[in-house]
Amino acid sequence: SMIKGQVSPDVTRAIIQRLGTDDAFREKMLGDPAAAMAEHGVEVDPSQVPATRRLPSKKELQEGGEALGKQLE
């Protein structure tokens, strides 16, 4: 897994919410996922980050974020 340690559901929800609303954060997540995740205190193993990255659309994240958040609890 590219994420080191445990990530709380609150942090996961905050990241999903930002990806659903914040274009600059989306660009950062695609360009430098480790730096984007570090903004939320999440440590990422750079060697595990996939070379090809894709994000769901903001609409998908806004609609699916609640369901995803519930799954993480």
Side-chain angles (χ1 to χ4, degrees):
S1 158
M2 72 176 204
I3 294 173
K4 298 177 178 178
Q6 291 292 310
V7 180
S8 77
D10 285 346
V11 170
T12 304
R13 262 195 292 273
I15 292 169
I16 292 167
Q17 189 174 9
R18 271 192 86 187
L19 289 172
T21 56
D22 183 338
D23 286 322
F25 186 67
R26 288 173 64 83
E27 288 297 315
K28 189 169 195 172
M29 185 66 86
L30 288 169
D32 189 348
M37 298 292 268
E39 287 186 20
H40 287 271
V42 178
E43 193 180 350
V44 171
D45 180 350
S47 70
Q48 297 293 315
V49 175
T52 304
R53 300 186 277 273
R54 193 199 146 267
L55 291 173
S57 73
K58 288 196 289 190
K59 187 171 187 290
E60 283 177 282
L61 285 164
Q62 287 165 13
E63 290 173 354
E66 286 179 29
L68 197 57
K70 286 191 176 76
Q71 287 172 14
L72 295 164
E73 284 173 3

